Amino acid sequence: MKYRTTAAALVAVAALAGCSASGGGTASQPPSAASVAHRLGCTGIEPVSPPTLYAYDEATATCGGHPADIATFRMDKLRDQWVAAARQFTGIEQTGDRYAVADG
């Protein structure tokens, strides 16, 4: 019985460590790129399939009269990696909780 209790405790600790090591944000399902675009007042929203590296969901849209690329992520750590890669090719307009908006 002691072995099962210890094993259960180790599994629980590993699960908690995995959650806390996510690098910011949570691993739950993020909002869709379209919902972020709507919330930002963007129009002409078109899905990008498949989404680019690190992104969970992605769409192109017109935001403030300018083309934009909106991506969502499972964790802010993945968003930050996407932003670092995207900055080599385009400007980053905005970042938020598990989303980023780049020049389109």
Side-chain angles (χ1 to χ4, degrees), residues 4-104:
R4 286 186 182 176
T5 303
T6 304
L10 288 174
V11 169
V13 169
L16 289 173
C19 291
S20 65
S22 65
T26 130
S28 65
Q29 183 171 339
S32 70
S35 69
V36 171
H38 283 294
R39 190 172 63 223
L40 297 174
C42 302
T43 60
I45 302 161
E46 295 291 329
V48 172
S49 184
T52 56
L53 183 65
Y54 305 118
Y56 171 79
D57 191 34
E58 192 167 2
T60 58
T62 301
C63 301
H66 303 284
D69 184 24
I70 299 126
T72 62
F73 309 89
R74 287 200 181 271
M75 295 177 280
D76 286 339
K77 180 179 179 177
L78 294 172
R79 178 208 57 210
D80 296 345
Q81 291 172 319
W82 186 89
V83 165
R87 277 199 172 123
Q88 298 175 45
F89 307 102
T90 187
I92 303 300
E93 295 297 320
Q94 180 177 1
T95 61
D97 181 27
R98 298 185 295 161
Y99 79 88
V101 180
D103 295 334

